[in-house]
Amino acid sequence: MQLDKFTDYALRVLMTLAIRAPERVATSEIAGLYGLSDNHLSKVATQLARDGFVKSERGRNGGLTLARPAEAIRVGAVVRAMKRDDPVVECFGTDRSCLILPACGLRDPLAEAQEAFFAALDRYSLADVTRQRQALAGLLGAGSTLRAEA
């Protein structure tokens, strides 16, 4: 299974927020770090907020923060939320026009594979994938703002 850019960007936003927690980070700053479109990343942030992964505050001192601790955010849940409208194959969605659908033997194996993919990601939290906090902060140019871990 391949992650689309929207899901990839969502994971990058969450990882950046986990590294910078509890600091509020502007979407435009995150977009600049990764060289991404501010407009596109704003759409990603809106979806993350809608799904309860981040809190968004507007205004001069606004920005994004994690809505709950990184330990409580499962990577699988994020990917599911971002890809909910993007089935692995068309017949998993609303498109039932495939000629062989009534007799197709691929649906069950593909559904099983998709669930195995999500189950593997469910084993990891956002905290797990940001364990190398100092190294990630250095790569993101956030070393000076990163607080020492307790």
Side-chain angles (χ1 to χ4, degrees):
M1 196 165 162
Q2 183 174 354
L3 295 183
D4 58 10
K5 287 181 180 180
F6 195 83
T7 305
D8 176 29
Y9 297 168
L11 292 169
R12 292 190 210 190
V13 167
L14 292 173
M15 290 178 72
T16 302
L17 295 176
I19 292 162
R20 302 272 296 266
E23 183 182 337
R24 206 175 288 128
V25 185
T27 304
S28 59
E29 183 180 348
I30 299 170
L33 287 170
Y34 290 107
L36 303 173
S37 158
D38 189 21
N39 185 44
H40 190 64
L41 209 62
S42 291
K43 292 176 185 176
V44 171
T46 298
Q47 187 65 44
L48 286 169
R50 194 175 297 138
D51 289 330
F53 296 110
V54 302
K55 291 180 188 173
S56 177
E57 290 188 39
R58 294 183 179 267
R60 197 167 78 105
N61 294 320
L64 303 173
T65 56
L66 293 178
R68 52 188 185 262
E71 295 80 10
I73 298 175
R74 306 311 291 181
V75 175
V78 174
V79 174
R80 273 189 191 89
M82 297 300 114
K83 293 190 68 61
R84 86 181 76 183
D85 296 326
D86 187 20
V88 172
V89 290
E90 292 174 1
C91 62
F92 283 9
T94 58
D95 185 351
R96 303 282 185 206
S97 63
C98 180
L99 176 67
I100 64 171
L101 185 63
C104 182
L106 274 176
R107 283 178 55 85
D108 288 342
L110 289 174
E112 184 179 333
Q114 180 179 0
E115 191 46 44
F117 174 78
F118 288 129
L121 295 176
D122 283 337
R123 291 194 304 262
Y124 299 93
S125 71
L126 186 56
D128 293 330
V129 299
T130 57
R131 290 238 185 270
Q132 294 188 37
R133 223 178 128 117
Q134 293 293 340
L136 288 167
L139 292 168
L140 293 172
S144 61
T145 61
L146 182 63
R147 295 169 195 217
E149 293 184 60

